[in-house]
Amino acid sequence: MVNVRARAGLSGVGAAAVALGVAELAAALTGARSAPLVAVGAVVVDHVPAPVKDFGIAVFGVHDKTALLMGTCLLLAAYAYGVGVLARRRWLLAAGGIALFGLVGAAAAVTRPGAGPAAALPSLLGAGLAALVLRHLTAWAERAGAGRPPYEIEESRRRFVRDLGIVAAVSAVAGVGGRLLTSRRAVTVARAAVALPPAAEPAPALPAAVNAPGAVPYVTPNRSFYRIDTALVTPQVDPSAWRLRIHGMVRNPITITWADLLKRPMVERYVTLACVSNDVGGDLVGNALWLGTPIRALLAEADPLPGADQAVQRSVDGWTCGTPTAVLRDDRDALLAIGMNGEPLPVEHGFPARMIVPGLYGYVSACKWITEIELTRFADFDAYWVPRGWSALAPVKTQSRIDTPRDGATKPAGTVTVAGVAWATHRGIAQVEVQVDDGPWQTAQLAEAVSADTWRQWSLTWAASAGRHTLRVRATDLDGVTQTPEKAAPAPDGATGWHQVTVKIE
Ligand SMILES: Nc1nc2c(c(=O)[nH]1)N[C@H]1C(S)=C(S)[C@@H](COP(=O)(O)O)O[C@H]1N2
Ligand SMILES: [Mo]
């Protein structure tokens, strides 16, 4: 038996696949962010309510974007199936469904920051082809209907399967080809050609005892450094086209090029970067050696007007964050950074330039792919995350984490090393204490500190007896303030509470 309806549905899915594949290919010319899937996804990312976004990060972690794209594909497949079924009897309605798909994609693409009218092309081209493909496939599907002679049904089945196969192959080739072309055009080549200037002020040599055994390494390698941003397609910024414009409430607006930037004095600093979405015990925190030029000097040249209390950093993809101007002008090492652990910034960490500000969460300070700093007032402008329910001011809260033993681990009785990291960036860590069950707080041994701006490793030797035990950690910063035990969720300005793990000793 042939199910004509299912064939019609599959025709719809095939047509949608062609649309996406061809659009991907077209987007190799008009820019990767103009592909409909990516453009619509980006609009979703920008408008998803904060709790849903938190849920996404909590469930999918750094794979939240893949999950979003796959979810969108599934929804689209269901929609396309419906359009295919409709096409049998109500062709005009189905055509309207396709047009709607094309218009939504085009609208999403042209309204992305920095997009031109050409960004509409991939979606419109895709929708046009989808209509042709659907017309063609449903014609074959229809010829299997009741009352047709058996040879015709058989013939239509063969033709349908053949043409659906061709459609699938064309979309796959177009889609993969488009992606390959895009990545070839990517800035990987330009990045490989960058020779970082030497630091006028190199970072101090790391003390021998900077690592505690069992804690994550003091320096987080680039490939394992957490990545958080709203960019569905990593912005590709060629250094030769890069500019940083400092404007707004300044006496002397300035624009610098990549060549200008490389001529500026560079310093190297270890700075720990933490995400406000990091839960107690979470791993959205890392420490790297950054190479950059102090932003303080650049701002002094621009000469902010009194009252310009907020420096809004803007990325090439339109994302913004607002940092108190005073923080960028005080004596801390706030950097316009170009290097990370001895390499040019990895593309996903902001190549060619980003901000790194000790003491503030990333969402209010660490703009990647930065292209603009606009001096303004907090009263006049809300940066990206502020209308989405996050605090405009967000200094990093003191936190500590147990890296070993892991929660749920089983260890033999006897000596067990408890170790981890603690950070109170720009204030510094004075003390870390560990509590076993309801026992007294024991002072952990601290690894040597590099500066107040980085995390500090700690460890404690524990004489573990058989049974189930809970280990808790808390840190005290150099101002003498101990982490609060009170549990708070990451929103609106960072999680609080003590990290604890439960282990079984046998
Ligand atoms: N352009 C841009 N920069 C951004 C973001 C973003 O979404 N877009 N996210 C910020 C957030 S929330 C954090 S925690 C840090 C993370 O930097 P990383 O991905 O290099 O670890 O980047 C910040 N810079
Ligand atoms: Mo973040």
Side-chain angles (χ1 to χ4, degrees), residues 360-417:
L360 302 187
Y361 285 119
Y363 85 104
V364 289
S365 69
C367 186
K368 306 193 271 189
W369 315 289
I370 188 172
T371 183
E372 225 182 276
I373 300 179
E374 181 178 353
L375 277 294
T376 176
R377 281 185 268 252
F378 277 101
D380 294 340
F381 184 80
D382 282 339
Y384 188 90
W385 283 113
V386 177
R388 292 168 172 84
W390 296 80
S391 172
L393 298 178
V396 174
K397 294 181 179 173
T398 303
Q399 266 302 339
S400 48
R401 188 179 75 196
I402 301 173
D403 288 343
T404 185
R406 297 235 155 232
D407 190 37
T410 302
K411 297 262 173 195
T415 305
V416 171
T417 301

Short mmCIF file of all heavy atoms in Angstrom, two decimals, residues 360-417:
data_model
loop_
_atom_site.label_atom_id
_atom_site.label_comp_id
_atom_site.label_asym_id
_atom_site.label_seq_id
_atom_site.Cartn_x
_atom_site.Cartn_y
_atom_site.Cartn_z
N LEU A 360 35.46 41.70 37.47
CA LEU A 360 34.07 41.77 37.03
C LEU A 360 33.70 40.51 36.25
O LEU A 360 34.54 39.96 35.54
CB LEU A 360 33.83 42.98 36.13
CG LEU A 360 34.16 44.37 36.70
CD1 LEU A 360 33.69 45.44 35.73
CD2 LEU A 360 33.51 44.57 38.06
N TYR A 361 32.44 40.09 36.35
CA TYR A 361 31.99 38.97 35.55
C TYR A 361 32.10 39.32 34.06
O TYR A 361 32.01 40.51 33.68
CB TYR A 361 30.53 38.61 35.87
CG TYR A 361 30.37 37.90 37.20
CD1 TYR A 361 29.62 38.46 38.24
CD2 TYR A 361 30.98 36.66 37.42
CE1 TYR A 361 29.46 37.80 39.46
CE2 TYR A 361 30.84 36.00 38.64
CZ TYR A 361 30.09 36.57 39.65
OH TYR A 361 29.95 35.92 40.85
N GLY A 362 32.22 38.28 33.24
CA GLY A 362 32.42 38.48 31.80
C GLY A 362 31.32 39.27 31.13
O GLY A 362 31.60 40.08 30.24
N TYR A 363 30.07 39.07 31.56
CA TYR A 363 28.96 39.71 30.83
C TYR A 363 28.90 41.22 31.02
O TYR A 363 28.14 41.90 30.33
CB TYR A 363 27.62 39.06 31.20
CG TYR A 363 26.96 39.62 32.45
CD1 TYR A 363 25.88 40.49 32.36
CD2 TYR A 363 27.41 39.29 33.71
CE1 TYR A 363 25.26 41.01 33.49
CE2 TYR A 363 26.81 39.80 34.85
CZ TYR A 363 25.73 40.67 34.73
OH TYR A 363 25.15 41.19 35.85
N VAL A 364 29.67 41.76 31.98
CA VAL A 364 29.71 43.22 32.14
C VAL A 364 31.09 43.79 31.81
O VAL A 364 31.37 44.95 32.15
CB VAL A 364 29.32 43.65 33.58
CG1 VAL A 364 27.85 43.43 33.84
CG2 VAL A 364 30.17 42.94 34.62
N SER A 365 31.95 42.99 31.18
CA SER A 365 33.31 43.51 31.03
C SER A 365 34.15 42.92 29.91
O SER A 365 35.12 43.53 29.49
CB SER A 365 34.07 43.28 32.33
OG SER A 365 34.30 41.89 32.52
N ALA A 366 33.85 41.70 29.46
CA ALA A 366 34.86 40.97 28.67
C ALA A 366 34.47 40.86 27.20
O ALA A 366 34.58 39.79 26.59
CB ALA A 366 35.06 39.58 29.28
N CYS A 367 34.05 41.97 26.60
CA CYS A 367 33.54 41.95 25.23
C CYS A 367 34.54 41.33 24.25
O CYS A 367 35.68 41.77 24.13
CB CYS A 367 33.21 43.38 24.80
SG CYS A 367 32.41 43.45 23.20
N LYS A 368 34.08 40.28 23.57
CA LYS A 368 34.90 39.64 22.53
C LYS A 368 34.58 40.30 21.19
O LYS A 368 33.53 40.90 21.03
CB LYS A 368 34.57 38.14 22.48
CG LYS A 368 34.72 37.46 23.84
CD LYS A 368 34.69 35.96 23.74
CE LYS A 368 33.30 35.39 23.82
NZ LYS A 368 33.34 33.90 23.93
N TRP A 369 35.48 40.17 20.22
CA TRP A 369 35.32 40.76 18.88
C TRP A 369 34.94 42.24 19.03
O TRP A 369 34.08 42.75 18.31
CB TRP A 369 34.27 39.99 18.08
CG TRP A 369 34.42 38.51 18.19
CD1 TRP A 369 35.42 37.76 17.63
CD2 TRP A 369 33.58 37.59 18.90
NE1 TRP A 369 35.25 36.44 17.97
CE2 TRP A 369 34.13 36.32 18.75
CE3 TRP A 369 32.42 37.73 19.66
CZ2 TRP A 369 33.55 35.18 19.33
CZ3 TRP A 369 31.86 36.61 20.24
CH2 TRP A 369 32.41 35.36 20.07
N ILE A 370 35.60 42.92 19.94
CA ILE A 370 35.20 44.30 20.28
C ILE A 370 35.50 45.25 19.11
O ILE A 370 36.51 45.09 18.43
CB ILE A 370 35.91 44.77 21.57
CG1 ILE A 370 35.34 46.12 22.03
CG2 ILE A 370 37.44 44.86 21.35
CD1 ILE A 370 35.85 46.54 23.39
N THR A 371 34.61 46.18 18.90
CA THR A 371 34.83 47.14 17.82
C THR A 371 34.51 48.57 18.24
O THR A 371 34.85 49.51 17.52
CB THR A 371 33.98 46.74 16.58
OG1 THR A 371 34.28 47.65 15.54
CG2 THR A 371 32.50 46.77 16.88
N GLU A 372 33.93 48.72 19.42
CA GLU A 372 33.50 50.06 19.82
C GLU A 372 33.48 50.18 21.34
O GLU A 372 33.09 49.22 22.03
CB GLU A 372 32.05 50.22 19.35
CG GLU A 372 31.70 51.51 18.69
CD GLU A 372 30.22 51.51 18.35
OE1 GLU A 372 29.85 50.98 17.29
OE2 GLU A 372 29.45 52.02 19.17
N ILE A 373 33.86 51.33 21.85
CA ILE A 373 33.60 51.65 23.25
C ILE A 373 32.90 53.00 23.25
O ILE A 373 33.46 53.98 22.75
CB ILE A 373 34.90 51.73 24.09
CG1 ILE A 373 35.65 50.38 24.06
CG2 ILE A 373 34.57 52.13 25.54
CD1 ILE A 373 36.95 50.38 24.84
N GLU A 374 31.67 53.00 23.75
CA GLU A 374 30.91 54.24 23.76
C GLU A 374 30.75 54.71 25.19
O GLU A 374 30.18 54.00 26.03
CB GLU A 374 29.53 54.03 23.11
CG GLU A 374 28.72 55.31 23.08
CD GLU A 374 27.36 55.14 22.40
OE1 GLU A 374 27.10 54.05 21.85
OE2 GLU A 374 26.57 56.09 22.43
N LEU A 375 31.25 55.90 25.47
CA LEU A 375 31.11 56.45 26.80
C LEU A 375 29.71 57.05 26.94
O LEU A 375 29.28 57.84 26.10
CB LEU A 375 32.17 57.52 27.05
CG LEU A 375 33.56 57.03 27.49
CD1 LEU A 375 33.48 56.41 28.88
CD2 LEU A 375 34.19 56.06 26.53
N THR A 376 29.01 56.62 27.99
CA THR A 376 27.65 57.08 28.19
C THR A 376 27.35 57.03 29.69
O THR A 376 28.27 56.99 30.50
CB THR A 376 26.66 56.22 27.35
OG1 THR A 376 25.34 56.65 27.63
CG2 THR A 376 26.75 54.74 27.67
N ARG A 377 26.06 57.03 30.03
CA ARG A 377 25.65 56.96 31.44
C ARG A 377 24.85 55.68 31.66
O ARG A 377 24.10 55.27 30.77
CB ARG A 377 24.75 58.14 31.78
CG ARG A 377 25.49 59.44 32.02
CD ARG A 377 24.51 60.50 32.48
NE ARG A 377 24.03 61.22 31.32
CZ ARG A 377 24.39 62.47 31.02
NH1 ARG A 377 25.19 63.14 31.81
NH2 ARG A 377 23.92 63.05 29.94
N PHE A 378 24.99 55.07 32.84
CA PHE A 378 24.16 53.91 33.17
C PHE A 378 22.69 54.28 33.05
O PHE A 378 21.86 53.48 32.64
CB PHE A 378 24.49 53.37 34.57
CG PHE A 378 25.69 52.46 34.58
CD1 PHE A 378 26.93 52.91 35.01
CD2 PHE A 378 25.58 51.15 34.15
CE1 PHE A 378 28.03 52.08 35.01
CE2 PHE A 378 26.68 50.29 34.15
CZ PHE A 378 27.91 50.77 34.59
N ALA A 379 22.37 55.54 33.39
CA ALA A 379 20.97 55.98 33.34
C ALA A 379 20.45 56.02 31.90
O ALA A 379 19.24 55.98 31.67
CB ALA A 379 20.84 57.35 33.99
N ASP A 380 21.36 56.10 30.92
CA ASP A 380 20.92 56.29 29.53
C ASP A 380 20.95 55.04 28.67
O ASP A 380 20.38 55.02 27.58
CB ASP A 380 21.81 57.35 28.84
CG ASP A 380 21.63 58.72 29.46
OD1 ASP A 380 20.58 58.92 30.12
OD2 ASP A 380 22.52 59.56 29.31
N PHE A 381 21.68 54.02 29.09
CA PHE A 381 21.79 52.84 28.22
C PHE A 381 21.89 51.55 29.02
O PHE A 381 22.68 51.44 29.96
CB PHE A 381 23.02 52.97 27.30
CG PHE A 381 23.13 51.83 26.31
CD1 PHE A 381 22.36 51.83 25.15
CD2 PHE A 381 23.97 50.74 26.56
CE1 PHE A 381 22.44 50.77 24.24
CE2 PHE A 381 24.05 49.68 25.66
CZ PHE A 381 23.28 49.70 24.50
N ASP A 382 21.08 50.55 28.63
CA ASP A 382 21.15 49.22 29.22
C ASP A 382 21.85 48.29 28.23
O ASP A 382 21.39 48.12 27.10
CB ASP A 382 19.73 48.67 29.46
CG ASP A 382 19.10 49.27 30.70
OD1 ASP A 382 19.85 49.76 31.57
OD2 ASP A 382 17.86 49.23 30.81
N ALA A 383 22.93 47.66 28.66
CA ALA A 383 23.65 46.72 27.79
C ALA A 383 22.86 45.40 27.68
O ALA A 383 21.87 45.19 28.40
CB ALA A 383 25.05 46.47 28.32
N TYR A 384 23.30 44.54 26.76
CA TYR A 384 22.57 43.33 26.34
C TYR A 384 21.83 42.58 27.46
O TYR A 384 20.64 42.29 27.34
CB TYR A 384 23.55 42.36 25.65
CG TYR A 384 22.88 41.16 25.01
CD1 TYR A 384 22.46 41.22 23.68
CD2 TYR A 384 22.65 40.00 25.73
CE1 TYR A 384 21.84 40.13 23.09
CE2 TYR A 384 22.03 38.91 25.14
CZ TYR A 384 21.62 38.97 23.82
OH TYR A 384 21.00 37.90 23.25
N TRP A 385 22.52 42.22 28.53
CA TRP A 385 21.89 41.34 29.53
C TRP A 385 21.03 42.08 30.54
O TRP A 385 20.31 41.44 31.32
CB TRP A 385 22.95 40.49 30.25
CG TRP A 385 23.42 39.35 29.38
CD1 TRP A 385 24.66 39.18 28.84
CD2 TRP A 385 22.63 38.22 28.93
NE1 TRP A 385 24.68 38.04 28.06
CE2 TRP A 385 23.47 37.44 28.12
CE3 TRP A 385 21.31 37.81 29.13
CZ2 TRP A 385 23.03 36.26 27.50
CZ3 TRP A 385 20.87 36.64 28.52
CH2 TRP A 385 21.73 35.89 27.72
N VAL A 386 21.12 43.40 30.58
CA VAL A 386 20.41 44.13 31.64
C VAL A 386 18.89 44.06 31.48
O VAL A 386 18.19 43.68 32.43
CB VAL A 386 20.94 45.58 31.74
CG1 VAL A 386 20.16 46.37 32.78
CG2 VAL A 386 22.43 45.55 32.10
N PRO A 387 18.34 44.35 30.28
CA PRO A 387 16.87 44.20 30.16
C PRO A 387 16.43 42.75 30.28
O PRO A 387 15.24 42.48 30.44
CB PRO A 387 16.55 44.74 28.76
CG PRO A 387 17.84 45.08 28.11
CD PRO A 387 18.97 44.84 29.04
N ARG A 388 17.38 41.81 30.20
CA ARG A 388 17.03 40.39 30.33
C ARG A 388 17.13 39.93 31.78
O ARG A 388 17.20 38.72 32.04
CB ARG A 388 17.93 39.57 29.41
CG ARG A 388 17.63 39.84 27.92
CD ARG A 388 18.70 39.27 27.02
NE ARG A 388 18.33 39.36 25.61
CZ ARG A 388 18.51 40.43 24.84
NH1 ARG A 388 19.04 41.53 25.35
NH2 ARG A 388 18.15 40.43 23.57
N GLY A 389 17.19 40.86 32.67
CA GLY A 389 17.07 40.51 34.09
C GLY A 389 18.38 40.37 34.85
O GLY A 389 18.38 39.88 35.98
N TRP A 390 19.49 40.78 34.26
CA TRP A 390 20.76 40.66 34.97
C TRP A 390 21.20 42.05 35.43
O TRP A 390 20.86 43.06 34.83
CB TRP A 390 21.82 40.00 34.08
CG TRP A 390 21.44 38.59 33.74
CD1 TRP A 390 20.54 38.22 32.77
CD2 TRP A 390 21.87 37.39 34.37
NE1 TRP A 390 20.42 36.85 32.76
CE2 TRP A 390 21.22 36.31 33.74
CE3 TRP A 390 22.75 37.11 35.43
CZ2 TRP A 390 21.41 34.98 34.11
CZ3 TRP A 390 22.95 35.79 35.78
CH2 TRP A 390 22.29 34.74 35.14
N SER A 391 21.97 42.04 36.49
CA SER A 391 22.37 43.30 37.11
C SER A 391 23.31 44.10 36.20
O SER A 391 24.11 43.53 35.47
CB SER A 391 23.06 42.96 38.43
OG SER A 391 23.61 44.10 38.98
N ALA A 392 23.20 45.43 36.26
CA ALA A 392 24.08 46.27 35.44
C ALA A 392 25.49 46.28 36.02
O ALA A 392 26.47 46.42 35.30
CB ALA A 392 23.54 47.69 35.36
N LEU A 393 25.58 46.14 37.35
CA LEU A 393 26.88 46.10 38.01
C LEU A 393 27.10 44.69 38.52
O LEU A 393 26.22 44.13 39.17
CB LEU A 393 26.93 47.08 39.18
CG LEU A 393 26.74 48.56 38.83
CD1 LEU A 393 26.76 49.40 40.10
CD2 LEU A 393 27.81 49.03 37.86
N ALA A 394 28.26 44.11 38.25
CA ALA A 394 28.45 42.72 38.66
C ALA A 394 29.90 42.40 38.97
O ALA A 394 30.61 41.78 38.18
CB ALA A 394 27.90 41.78 37.59
N PRO A 395 30.36 42.83 40.16
CA PRO A 395 31.68 42.38 40.60
C PRO A 395 31.64 40.88 40.91
O PRO A 395 30.59 40.36 41.31
CB PRO A 395 31.95 43.20 41.87
CG PRO A 395 30.64 43.77 42.28
CD PRO A 395 29.70 43.72 41.12
N VAL A 396 32.74 40.21 40.71
CA VAL A 396 32.79 38.76 40.92
C VAL A 396 32.68 38.46 42.42
O VAL A 396 33.34 39.09 43.25
CB VAL A 396 34.12 38.18 40.37
CG1 VAL A 396 34.24 36.70 40.72
CG2 VAL A 396 34.20 38.40 38.86
N LYS A 397 31.80 37.51 42.75
CA LYS A 397 31.64 37.13 44.16
C LYS A 397 32.70 36.09 44.54
O LYS A 397 33.11 35.29 43.70
CB LYS A 397 30.24 36.55 44.38
CG LYS A 397 29.16 37.61 44.17
CD LYS A 397 27.78 37.03 44.39
CE LYS A 397 26.72 38.11 44.20
NZ LYS A 397 25.37 37.56 44.24
N THR A 398 33.09 36.12 45.80
CA THR A 398 34.07 35.15 46.28
C THR A 398 33.51 33.74 46.17
O THR A 398 32.38 33.48 46.57
CB THR A 398 34.44 35.47 47.75
OG1 THR A 398 34.90 36.81 47.80
CG2 THR A 398 35.51 34.52 48.27
N GLN A 399 34.30 32.85 45.57
CA GLN A 399 33.84 31.47 45.40
C GLN A 399 35.00 30.51 45.62
O GLN A 399 36.16 30.86 45.44
CB GLN A 399 33.27 31.25 43.99
CG GLN A 399 31.76 31.43 43.89
CD GLN A 399 30.98 30.50 44.82
OE1 GLN A 399 31.50 29.45 45.27
NE2 GLN A 399 29.74 30.86 45.12
N SER A 400 34.64 29.28 45.97
CA SER A 400 35.65 28.23 46.11
C SER A 400 35.02 26.93 45.66
O SER A 400 33.79 26.77 45.71
CB SER A 400 36.11 28.14 47.56
OG SER A 400 35.00 28.11 48.43
N ARG A 401 35.87 26.02 45.19
CA ARG A 401 35.36 24.79 44.58
C ARG A 401 36.26 23.63 44.97
O ARG A 401 37.48 23.78 45.00
CB ARG A 401 35.38 24.98 43.06
CG ARG A 401 34.71 23.88 42.28
CD ARG A 401 34.77 24.17 40.80
NE ARG A 401 36.11 23.93 40.28
CZ ARG A 401 36.56 24.38 39.10
NH1 ARG A 401 35.78 25.12 38.32
NH2 ARG A 401 37.79 24.10 38.70
N ILE A 402 35.63 22.50 45.24
CA ILE A 402 36.39 21.27 45.51
C ILE A 402 36.55 20.52 44.20
O ILE A 402 35.56 20.13 43.58
CB ILE A 402 35.65 20.39 46.55
CG1 ILE A 402 35.45 21.16 47.87
CG2 ILE A 402 36.39 19.09 46.78
CD1 ILE A 402 34.57 20.45 48.89
N ASP A 403 37.79 20.35 43.73
CA ASP A 403 38.02 19.62 42.47
C ASP A 403 38.26 18.13 42.73
O ASP A 403 37.95 17.29 41.90
CB ASP A 403 39.23 20.20 41.74
CG ASP A 403 38.91 21.57 41.14
OD1 ASP A 403 37.72 21.90 41.01
OD2 ASP A 403 39.86 22.32 40.82
N THR A 404 38.87 17.83 43.87
CA THR A 404 39.09 16.44 44.23
C THR A 404 38.88 16.29 45.73
O THR A 404 39.28 17.20 46.47
CB THR A 404 40.50 15.97 43.81
OG1 THR A 404 40.61 14.57 44.07
CG2 THR A 404 41.61 16.69 44.57
N PRO A 405 38.25 15.22 46.26
CA PRO A 405 37.59 14.18 45.48
C PRO A 405 36.32 14.70 44.82
O PRO A 405 35.75 15.70 45.26
CB PRO A 405 37.28 13.11 46.53
CG PRO A 405 37.21 13.86 47.83
CD PRO A 405 38.13 15.03 47.69
N ARG A 406 35.91 13.98 43.78
CA ARG A 406 34.69 14.38 43.07
C ARG A 406 33.46 13.97 43.88
O ARG A 406 33.52 13.00 44.65
CB ARG A 406 34.62 13.69 41.71
CG ARG A 406 35.75 14.10 40.82
CD ARG A 406 35.22 14.62 39.51
NE ARG A 406 36.16 15.53 38.90
CZ ARG A 406 35.87 16.75 38.48
NH1 ARG A 406 34.66 17.23 38.62
NH2 ARG A 406 36.78 17.50 37.91
N ASP A 407 32.38 14.67 43.66
CA ASP A 407 31.12 14.31 44.32
C ASP A 407 30.75 12.88 43.93
O ASP A 407 30.82 12.52 42.76
CB ASP A 407 30.02 15.28 43.87
CG ASP A 407 28.76 15.14 44.69
OD1 ASP A 407 28.88 14.90 45.92
OD2 ASP A 407 27.66 15.26 44.13
N GLY A 408 30.42 12.05 44.92
CA GLY A 408 30.01 10.68 44.64
C GLY A 408 31.16 9.70 44.52
O GLY A 408 30.95 8.51 44.30
N ALA A 409 32.41 10.19 44.69
CA ALA A 409 33.58 9.30 44.55
C ALA A 409 33.66 8.32 45.72
O ALA A 409 33.13 8.58 46.80
CB ALA A 409 34.85 10.13 44.47
N THR A 410 34.32 7.20 45.46
CA THR A 410 34.61 6.23 46.52
C THR A 410 36.13 6.18 46.69
O THR A 410 36.86 6.08 45.71
CB THR A 410 34.09 4.84 46.13
OG1 THR A 410 32.69 4.96 45.88
CG2 THR A 410 34.31 3.82 47.24
N LYS A 411 36.60 6.29 47.94
CA LYS A 411 38.05 6.30 48.20
C LYS A 411 38.35 5.34 49.34
O LYS A 411 37.52 5.15 50.23
CB LYS A 411 38.50 7.70 48.62
CG LYS A 411 38.30 8.77 47.57
CD LYS A 411 39.59 9.01 46.84
CE LYS A 411 39.36 9.95 45.68
NZ LYS A 411 40.46 9.94 44.73
N PRO A 412 39.55 4.75 49.32
CA PRO A 412 39.92 3.91 50.46
C PRO A 412 40.19 4.77 51.70
O PRO A 412 40.63 5.92 51.57
CB PRO A 412 41.21 3.22 49.99
CG PRO A 412 41.73 4.05 48.86
CD PRO A 412 40.57 4.78 48.27
N ALA A 413 39.92 4.22 52.86
CA ALA A 413 40.16 4.94 54.11
C ALA A 413 41.64 5.25 54.24
O ALA A 413 42.48 4.57 53.67
CB ALA A 413 39.68 4.11 55.29
N GLY A 414 41.95 6.32 54.96
CA GLY A 414 43.34 6.74 55.12
C GLY A 414 43.51 8.16 54.65
O GLY A 414 42.57 8.95 54.74
N THR A 415 44.69 8.47 54.13
CA THR A 415 44.95 9.85 53.73
C THR A 415 44.30 10.17 52.38
O THR A 415 44.56 9.51 51.38
CB THR A 415 46.47 10.08 53.64
OG1 THR A 415 47.03 9.71 54.88
CG2 THR A 415 46.78 11.53 53.34
N VAL A 416 43.46 11.19 52.37
CA VAL A 416 42.82 11.63 51.13
C VAL A 416 43.15 13.10 50.93
O VAL A 416 43.02 13.90 51.86
CB VAL A 416 41.28 11.44 51.20
CG1 VAL A 416 40.58 12.10 50.01
CG2 VAL A 416 40.92 9.96 51.27
N THR A 417 43.62 13.44 49.73
CA THR A 417 43.89 14.86 49.44
C THR A 417 42.61 15.53 48.97
O THR A 417 41.97 15.07 48.04
CB THR A 417 44.97 14.99 48.35
OG1 THR A 417 46.14 14.35 48.81
CG2 THR A 417 45.26 16.46 48.04
#
